[in-house]
């Protein structure tokens, strides 16, 4: 049984138990299923709780070996407990941010679990992603630190504010938690320097978190954001494609297809949206408006946008970090970014590499600079090669 077959079996199980449209999806053949591999694959894709619920809904719990069904059951229980704890913590921040007039939009899993999933335990969350206004970062950071969170070490003081649009925070102890603050919906420089974040703030909707008034992206903005999040990873988790499928199935009438297509074209995301919808339609059987789908297919992305999109599917995370500098505007800004990447602060180096002997610091700097230069060269070679191939194809 191949990995592709395993993934298809997982998808068919979920579609049969929780139909996304009026067409009945038959249960897959399970006689020769490699259950240890299926459970492992479901876990890797964030679908363990959903597979457990699907088997239970279809009356198939007795078909699965005892060890594997227990693993799936525990995945469901852990997601349920972790999510309830996460939403309790989030409730406190909603209250405080409202008092301090810090606008907040809950992104990705935190919003989806309470809006389109029938049970919050079916949407595991590794962290909470929160979108805030750029001028509130300092106040939001202070609120997190006062609640026991510690900011991830930056490469240098002010690096996140100057070259990025996000900052991660971690709380350890008996109730570990991770929160990522974003002041733009996109984390890739090419996009966050070209897409006005106001577009997302203008397309938000009210939701309820533990009986508190909160905000998430509207289905229209959610479709564009989730499509980009899904496609711009070298490893595409099935839970992200299921998010999209469930969004389209549950909110089809609320999505402004004209708006999302026009915005995708304006932002250089037409190919990203088209390929995301193509995968979702193929895998999950979701209906997409034919006219909208065909229109997306014919829109050409700018060449630099095509390079960024291609890079996210081919390069490693380390290479992508090196490549991010190319997306920044201005030669001086690019140079400053790479200089910080090659030679971060001493505090960052000590935390990152666990350096106890300060006398070895110069050697670690040389090693890091050499590796960074190598990654930048590889990423640059990839972009150059793709550019040449693209120009030949268009010529």
């Amino acid at each position: 049984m191949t990995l592709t077959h395993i993934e298809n079996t997982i998808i068919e199980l979920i579609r049969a138990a929780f139909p996304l449209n009026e067409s009945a999806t038959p249960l897959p053949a399970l006689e020769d299923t490699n259950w240890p591999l299926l459970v492992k694959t479901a876990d890797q894709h964030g679908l363990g709780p959903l597979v457990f619920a699907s088997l239970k809904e279809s009356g198939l719990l007795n078909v699965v070996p005892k060890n594997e069904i227990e693993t799936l059951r525990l995945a469901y229980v852990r997601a349920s407990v972790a999510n309830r704890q996460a939403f309790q913590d989030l409730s406190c921040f909603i209250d405080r941010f409202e008092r301090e007039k810090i606008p907040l939009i809950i992104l990705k899993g935190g919003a989806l679990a309470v809006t389109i999933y029938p049970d919050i335990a079916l949407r595991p969350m590794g962290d909470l992603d929160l979108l805030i206004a750029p001028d509130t970062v300092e106040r939001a950071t202070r609120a997190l630190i006062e609640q026991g969170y510690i900011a991830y070490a930056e490469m240098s003081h002010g690096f996140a504010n100057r070259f990025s649009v996000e900052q991660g925070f971690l709380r350890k102890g008996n109730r570990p938690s991770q929160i990522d603050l974003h002041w733009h919906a996109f984390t890739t420089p090419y996009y966050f320097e070209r897409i006005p974040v106001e577009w997302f703030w203008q397309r938000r909707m009210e939701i309820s978190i533990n009986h508190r008034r909160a905000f998430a992206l509207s289905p229209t903005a959610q479709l564009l954001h989730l499509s980009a999040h899904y496609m711009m990873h070298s490893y595409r988790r099935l839970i992200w494609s299921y998010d999209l499928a469930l969004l389209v199935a549950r909110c089809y009438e609320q999505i402004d297809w004209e708006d999302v297509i026009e915005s995708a074209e304006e932002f250089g995301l037409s190919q990203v949206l088209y390929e995301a919808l193509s995968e979702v339609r193929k895998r999950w059987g979701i209906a997409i408006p034919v006219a909208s789908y065909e229109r997306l297919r014919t829109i050409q992305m700018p060449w630099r946008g095509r390079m960024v999109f291609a890079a996210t599917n081919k390069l490693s995370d380390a290479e992508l970090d090196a490549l991010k500098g190319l997306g920044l505007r201005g030669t001086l800004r690019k140079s400053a970014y790479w200089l910080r990447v090659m030679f971060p602060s001493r505090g960052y180096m000590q935390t990152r590499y666990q350096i106890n002997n300060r006398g070895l610091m110069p050697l670690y700097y040389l090693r890091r600079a050499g590796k960074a230069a190598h990654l930048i060269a590889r990423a640059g070679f990839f972009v150059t090669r793709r550019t040449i191939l693209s120009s030949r194809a268009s010529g």
Side-chain angles (χ1 to χ4, degrees):
M1 181 173 278
T2 65
L3 188 57
T4 300
H5 182 71
I6 285 287
E7 291 179 356
N8 289 336
T9 300
I10 291 172
I11 291 171
E12 290 171 12
L13 267 173
I14 296 170
R15 288 182 60 185
F18 301 104
L20 292 168
N21 50 46
E22 296 177 356
S23 302
T25 302
L27 283 165
L30 300 173
E31 291 80 7
D32 299 319
T33 299
N34 183 335
W35 287 106
L37 179 58
L38 186 146
V39 170
K40 179 182 178 181
T41 303
D43 178 67
Q44 291 171 339
H45 285 281
L47 291 173
L50 194 53
V51 169
F52 174 77
S54 299
L55 290 166
K56 184 178 180 180
E57 181 73 17
S58 301
L60 295 173
L61 293 180
N62 61 337
V63 172
V64 187
K66 184 177 180 180
N67 287 343
E68 278 66 49
I69 202 64
E70 182 62 13
T71 299
L72 291 172
R73 187 188 70 81
L74 287 176
Y76 174 87
V77 171
R78 281 195 295 267
S80 179
V81 172
N83 284 2
R84 292 183 190 284
Q85 176 181 307
F87 284 122
Q88 287 176 4
D89 293 339
L90 180 56
S91 299
C92 297
F93 287 113
I94 291 172
D95 292 340
R96 176 160 182 174
F97 282 17
E98 185 175 7
R99 288 197 304 271
E100 298 191 13
K101 294 182 171 53
I102 300 175
L104 173 68
I105 294 178
I106 303 164
L107 300 174
K108 296 185 284 192
L112 301 175
V114 297
T115 55
I116 61 175
Y117 279 80
D119 177 355
I120 63 169
L122 301 183
R123 182 48 169 91
M125 301 183 298
D127 55 18
L128 282 170
D129 293 275
L130 309 178
L131 179 66
I132 59 174
D135 60 355
T136 65
V137 173
E138 185 176 340
R139 285 185 287 146
T141 296
R142 184 168 60 248
L144 286 170
I145 291 174
E146 289 177 4
Q147 291 298 318
Y149 286 83
I150 300 173
Y152 288 170
E154 294 187 82
M155 292 189 193
S156 63
H157 179 69
F159 185 89
N161 279 323
R162 186 175 180 189
F163 300 109
S164 184
V165 289
E166 63 178 338
Q167 177 65 58
F169 295 83
L170 187 65
R171 184 183 66 196
K172 299 180 180 180
N174 295 329
R175 294 184 60 182
S177 174
Q178 180 179 337
I179 291 179
D180 289 343
L181 290 182
H182 302 257
W183 40 106
H184 199 291
F186 284 78
T187 58
T188 303
Y190 175 82
Y191 290 109
F192 71 64
E193 293 207 334
R194 289 164 176 81
I195 298 175
V197 71
E198 291 77 18
W199 187 90
F200 294 95
W201 285 100
Q202 291 164 4
R203 291 161 178 80
R204 59 178 177 168
M205 67 177 189
E206 188 174 322
I207 63 173
S208 177
I209 301 286
N210 287 344
H211 307 293
R212 289 165 173 80
R213 178 173 172 264
F215 290 94
L217 294 177
S218 72
T220 300
Q222 198 79 268
L223 179 62
L224 190 61
H225 186 237
L226 294 179
S227 295
H229 178 256
Y230 173 53
M231 297 303 296
M232 291 186 177
H233 283 81
S234 55
Y235 177 64
R236 295 175 186 166
R237 304 181 78 204
L238 285 176
I239 187 68
W240 298 336
S241 68
Y242 185 71
D243 287 342
L244 277 165
L246 201 57
L247 175 72
V248 174
R250 300 285 183 267
C251 306
Y252 185 94
E253 297 296 333
Q254 289 128 353
I255 295 173
D256 186 334
W257 293 94
E258 185 71 18
D259 183 22
V260 78
I261 291 173
E262 288 182 355
S263 299
E265 181 176 11
E266 179 184 349
F267 301 154
L269 290 168
S270 52
Q271 184 182 352
V272 174
L273 181 59
Y274 172 75
E275 294 197 17
L277 291 176
S278 295
E279 286 200 21
V280 169
R281 186 174 73 163
K282 180 181 178 181
R283 290 198 158 195
W284 299 99
I286 290 300
I288 309 295
V290 176
S292 300
Y293 186 73
E294 288 303 311
R295 182 178 166 192
L296 267 177
R297 186 175 62 84
T298 61
I299 298 174
Q300 291 294 317
M301 283 174 61
W303 73 268
R304 187 169 292 182
R306 294 200 302 271
M307 295 306 102
V308 172
F309 181 37
T312 58
N313 292 285
K314 297 294 183 182
L315 299 178
S316 67
D317 289 341
E319 289 168 334
L320 284 174
D321 284 340
L323 185 64
K324 282 181 178 179
L326 288 177
L328 295 169
R329 285 177 167 165
T331 302
L332 289 178
R333 197 149 182 255
K334 289 181 174 69
S335 301
Y337 172 85
W338 281 321
L339 188 64
R340 296 295 186 278
V341 169
M342 289 184 175
F343 302 102
S345 69
R346 294 175 68 89
Y348 176 86
M349 292 291 288
Q350 285 182 301
T351 302
R352 173 70 176 80
Y353 298 107
Q354 299 294 303
I355 304 172
N356 296 319
N357 186 344
R358 300 186 67 178
L360 297 176
M361 187 73 72
L363 295 178
Y364 278 91
Y365 269 116
L366 284 173
R367 176 189 172 194
R368 181 179 177 86
K371 185 176 180 181
H374 174 69
L375 291 172
I376 291 170
R378 282 194 59 178
F381 172 77
F382 172 83
V383 170
T384 302
R385 181 172 176 272
R386 292 287 301 191
T387 302
I388 293 172
L389 291 175
S390 179
S391 62
R392 285 178 179 174
S394 60

